Amino acid sequence: MRSLSLLLLAVGSVAQSDEAAAASTATALQRACADAGVANASALLAHARKLHNGDDGRSTKQPAEAAPLYAAIAAANSTSLVSLDDACAAATALGHMYLQGDGVQRDGERAYDRFQRAAAFGAPEAQYALGVLHAAGFNAPKDTPLAMTFFHFAAEGGSVGAQLALGYRHLLGVDAPKDCGKALLYYSPVAERVVSSAQRLRGGKLLEKVRLSLDTPLGGGGKRGADDDVIQYYEHSARKGSVDAQLTLAHLNLHGARGLVPDHARAFEFYSRAAAAGEAAMPAHVAAPDARRAVDGEKGAPELNASGRSEPSKEGEAAGGKLVVARLVFFDSRKDHVRQMISDAQLAWFVETVGSLPRVPTLAFYHIPLHEYEAAVAAGVPMSGE
């Protein structure tokens, strides 16, 4: 009986301690909400993200002010004031801040702990972060099977980074069976997300696909390959008066598809031919670029050349910026990573090349094989700069 009484007393003490801790974290969260002038934890998380990342990229970032807000939200995960998703998002964000020393003192152990807490509740981005740490042996024991396990569950949860990691591993047979079919399964959702996101942002127009290299910095190299026969067929039909062919060539020249570079003067010519042939939809197509430019108030009315036609945009974009919506640039790794992983020459080439193309959101991927990355990290090689 005495032992049972002592056990019950101990359980009661633990329960009281847990209740006291929950009450303390709830009080801290409510105080943080009041100080920020928001009503609940979800609004506080949104406020913390604005401080951390800047308000839509326009205001100054304040990560040091965001860190205690993330901490308050993550700590209150055992209360009814915070949803599990918000708590996991806050813990994951705080983990990245500790890992990078962003607004807080860099602390690998705390970063791992925050990721682990969120991953235990199924947070995909936290699982992906743990996979990276275990794959590289960075702030965690190097454990390839465990890393692959984290990548798998993170990819199933929708983590883009994990899907790219597994797609790469299955494509090249790195720590996984070489299987192009599986690689495609992991790469496809990422590609679909990028395209749909870009089209939502910029009116549903085409996503430019350009292969850049040192030999052809503007992409394409002037070769259309199998598309040449198709283009020649449409050009022949257009000369014979086919309105459908004229419309097709107008669209291709306007958007720069099928290997053609954007040529708005030529697109205007084909639209005009179709309009003259009585195609009812053509006047709207012909007038659309200039009308959009006038409505958007971009530099007043378009300039006209000697023939009375509007000059094509010098930046290679349709007026109003409606043509190219996004650009993806892929870099392959260099033969050595002795002084820095990304060379100054590569960075300079990227800035110069992208600066000469139409100004659109651009995302660059730099591929470094895992074993080279591990060796560079172990040697203390910086990502860029001396």
Side-chain angles (χ1 to χ4, degrees):
M1 288 295 294
R2 177 177 175 80
S3 298
L4 179 59
S5 298
L6 291 175
L7 178 61
L8 292 175
L9 182 60
V11 171
S13 297
V14 171
Q16 290 178 353
S17 177
D18 289 344
E19 291 177 2
S24 177
T25 55
T27 301
L29 178 63
Q30 291 170 340
R31 185 181 302 112
C33 288
D35 292 342
V38 297
N40 52 47
S42 294
L44 185 65
L45 178 60
H47 178 65
R49 284 171 171 164
K50 286 184 178 181
L51 291 174
H52 187 192
N53 303 315
D55 187 7
D56 297 329
R58 292 190 294 269
S59 64
T60 304
K61 297 180 180 180
Q62 304 175 65
E65 284 71 21
L69 303 184
Y70 284 140
I73 298 169
N77 67 329
S78 60
T79 71
S80 60
L81 300 177
V82 180
S83 70
L84 184 59
D85 287 343
D86 286 347
C88 287
T92 303
L94 197 57
H96 283 295
M97 295 178 75
Y98 277 122
L99 188 64
Q100 301 168 15
D102 182 18
V104 295
Q105 183 68 32
R106 189 179 180 281
D107 191 325
E109 291 185 2
R110 286 190 176 184
Y112 189 91
D113 177 69
R114 298 307 186 276
F115 289 141
Q116 193 172 44
R117 292 185 186 184
F121 290 102
E125 294 306 322
Q127 292 170 337
Y128 169 59
L130 290 176
V132 171
L133 296 182
H134 282 292
F138 185 67
N139 288 319
K142 184 176 175 63
D143 190 331
T144 300
L146 182 58
M148 293 295 288
T149 301
F150 278 125
F151 285 148
H152 171 77
F153 284 105
E156 290 296 317
S159 169
V160 170
Q163 290 168 343
L164 288 173
L166 289 178
Y168 166 79
R169 280 163 170 74
H170 282 294
L171 180 64
L172 300 180
V174 179
D175 298 327
K178 188 172 183 178
D179 188 329
C180 291
K182 285 189 176 180
L184 179 62
L185 288 177
Y186 286 114
Y187 278 137
S188 293
V190 180
E192 291 172 1
R193 180 179 297 189
V194 171
V195 172
S196 62
S197 176
Q199 290 176 340
R200 281 199 309 272
L201 290 173
R202 299 297 295 273
K205 296 297 181 180
L206 296 182
L207 178 69
E208 181 188 41
K209 300 174 183 178
V210 179
R211 184 179 183 86
L212 302 179
S213 70
L214 292 173
D215 295 328
T216 57
L218 295 181
K223 298 179 180 180
R224 297 199 300 263
D227 286 332
D228 279 333
D229 292 338
V230 177
I231 299 300
Q232 289 177 9
Y233 168 77
Y234 280 123
E235 288 177 343
H236 173 76
S237 298
R239 286 195 297 269
K240 294 294 185 180
S242 169
V243 175
D244 288 339
Q246 292 166 351
L247 285 176
T248 299
L249 286 173
H251 290 320
L252 294 179
N253 280 280
L254 177 64
H255 296 297
R258 286 285 184 179
L260 294 174
V261 295
D263 187 335
H264 305 125
R266 191 164 172 77
F268 183 92
E269 176 185 349
F270 284 117
Y271 279 136
S272 298
R273 288 187 187 181
E279 177 61 35
M282 284 311 95
H285 281 86
V286 175
D290 290 348
R292 282 200 302 267
R293 187 167 184 174
V295 171
D296 292 343
E298 294 187 5
K299 302 179 182 178
E303 297 180 2
L304 302 179
N305 59 22
S307 65
R309 292 179 180 170
S310 60
E311 292 286 359
S313 169
K314 294 180 180 179
E315 295 182 353
E317 291 185 278
K322 301 296 185 182
L323 176 59
V324 179
V325 297
R327 182 177 297 108
L328 303 179
V329 180
F330 295 86
F331 284 96
D332 201 359
S333 62
R334 299 178 294 117
K335 294 182 179 179
D336 66 275
H337 301 287
V338 177
R339 300 178 63 188
Q340 58 191 91
M341 297 189 194
I342 304 175
S343 71
D344 292 335
Q346 287 175 310
L347 292 174
W349 175 85
F350 172 74
V351 171
E352 179 180 357
T353 301
V354 173
S356 67
L357 296 171
R359 293 192 297 272
V360 296
T362 300
L363 182 61
F365 290 91
Y366 191 86
H367 163 237
I368 301 177
L370 183 60
H371 66 280
E372 295 182 18
Y373 174 77
E374 291 173 347
V377 170
V381 176
M383 284 298 295
S384 61
E386 295 296 337

